[in-house]
């Protein structure tokens, strides 16, 4: 699964991030509520883990706003609050489950497995198109002008992020965090190298340019 983890406690966040990645999940870890909200808005996730108490926006506010905007992704709320009224508040905000700190790692993983089963509904084709470039998330495929393009998993993740935010300029730092992970040791040179490889594949000779460099800021994908 692709999971968004929002937890401002460094020790706990690193522990959960490590556990999830060890299980084979793709994890984005943020430490502020407003970051969690924006990540969830711009990226397709299979499951959200939201800590209740976070800087900028608490987990309940993030959860409530996402639900009001139509987000149907399963949400697990983490909190030290164990009073009944607190649990009711979290669930009423739209959380699917609620786990009180401290908790055993085995229980966390069991809750996530249960939520993933509950959230499995027949998938619709998630197809996004920019000009004659078509990205299909369910099939993990990319075509341009009807021709299949072979991408590595990292190249696909990079293109998927750009396509999801087509027309918007994405800062370098955001791209590196989303595609490689929050604590990955990635340099600007690495990103530029991947951009060159991706551009070579999606912009064959004679095709219109779609991937643009915004000097001093980052990259954008647009017609």
């Amino acid at each position: 699964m692709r999971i968004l983890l929002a937890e401002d406690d460094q020790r706990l966040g690193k522990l959960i991030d490590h556990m999830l990645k060890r299980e084979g999940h793709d994890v984005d870890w943020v430490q502020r509520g407003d970051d969690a909200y924006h990540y969830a808005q711009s990226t397709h996730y299979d499951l959200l883990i939201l800590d209740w108490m976070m800087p900028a926006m608490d987990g309940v506010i993030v959860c409530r706003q996402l639900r009001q905007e139509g987000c149907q992704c399963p949400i697990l709320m983490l909190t030290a609050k164990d009073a009944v009224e607190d649990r009711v508040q979290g669930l009423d905000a739209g959380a699917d489950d609620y786990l009180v700190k401290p908790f055993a790692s085995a229980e966390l993983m069991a809750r996530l497995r249960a939520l993933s089963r509950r959230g499995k509904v027949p998938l619709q084709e998630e197809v996004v198109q920019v000009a004659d470039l078509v990205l299909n998330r369910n099939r993990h495929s990319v075509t341009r002008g009807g021709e299949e393009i072979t991408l590595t998993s990292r190249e696909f993740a990079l293109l998927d992020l750009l396509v999801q935010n087509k027309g918007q300029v994405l800062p370098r730092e955001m791209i590196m965090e989303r595609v490689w992970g929050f604590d990955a040791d990635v340099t600007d040179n690495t990103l530029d190298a991947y951009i060159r490889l991706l551009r070579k594949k999606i912009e064959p000779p004679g095709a219109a340019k779609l991937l643009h460099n915004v000097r001093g800021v980052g990259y954008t994908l647009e017609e």
Side-chain angles (χ1 to χ4, degrees), residues 12-78:
L12 181 59
K14 285 183 179 180
L15 177 61
I16 296 175
D17 181 61
H18 175 73
M19 286 192 302
L20 294 174
K21 288 178 177 175
R22 187 178 58 192
E23 293 290 323
H25 302 299
D26 184 7
V27 183
D28 289 333
W29 173 29
V30 298
Q31 299 175 56
R32 292 171 54 92
D34 52 349
D35 288 338
Y37 174 69
H38 293 307
Y39 270 54
Q41 274 190 317
S42 62
T43 304
H44 171 76
Y45 291 102
D46 300 300
L47 196 145
L48 308 182
I49 304 174
L50 302 178
D51 182 37
W52 185 306
M53 300 300 294
M54 289 185 290
M57 294 171 67
D58 67 41
V60 171
I61 294 175
V62 173
C63 181
R64 182 178 294 112
Q65 290 193 195
L66 289 174
R67 291 303 193 215
Q68 288 174 349
E69 294 169 9
C71 174
Q72 298 181 1
C73 179
I75 297 177
L76 173 65
M77 190 79 69
L78 304 181

Side-chain angles (χ1 to χ4, degrees), residues 130-135 141-145 147-151 155-156 158-160 162-163 194-212 220-222:
V130 180
D132 58 345
L133 177 75
V134 180
L135 182 144
S141 66
V142 177
T143 62
R144 179 146 196 206
E147 296 293 322
E148 192 84 19
I149 300 172
T150 301
L151 301 179
E155 290 167 347
F156 185 90
L158 176 56
L159 180 60
D160 190 13
L162 291 164
V163 167
Y194 269 89
I195 290 289
R196 285 194 297 272
L197 290 171
L198 184 59
R199 181 177 278 135
K200 185 176 180 180
K201 291 184 178 182
I202 69 170
E203 296 178 353
K209 302 299 183 184
L210 299 177
L211 185 49
H212 306 279
T220 183
L221 189 77
E222 59 184 358

Side-chain angles (χ1 to χ4, degrees), residues 121-144:
V121 296
L123 292 174
Q124 296 180 346
E125 294 255 313
E126 288 193 68
V127 179
V128 185
Q129 184 167 352
V130 180
D132 58 345
L133 177 75
V134 180
L135 182 144
N136 187 311
R137 295 192 187 101
N138 292 336
R139 295 178 180 173
H140 214 266
S141 66
V142 177
T143 62
R144 179 146 196 206

Side-chain angles (χ1 to χ4, degrees), residues 65-131:
Q65 290 193 195
L66 289 174
R67 291 303 193 215
Q68 288 174 349
E69 294 169 9
C71 174
Q72 298 181 1
C73 179
I75 297 177
L76 173 65
M77 190 79 69
L78 304 181
T79 181
K81 298 173 178 283
D82 59 357
V84 172
E85 54 268 27
D86 293 322
R87 298 183 188 219
V88 170
Q89 184 181 354
L91 295 171
D92 281 348
D96 295 279
D97 202 356
Y98 191 104
L99 191 55
V100 177
K101 302 176 184 179
F103 49 79
S105 58
E107 182 180 7
L108 171 64
M109 300 310 294
R111 299 282 187 107
L112 295 180
R113 287 192 294 271
L115 283 176
S116 69
R117 290 193 297 269
R118 190 184 312 170
K120 284 182 179 176
V121 296
L123 292 174
Q124 296 180 346
E125 294 255 313
E126 288 193 68
V127 179
V128 185
Q129 184 167 352
V130 180

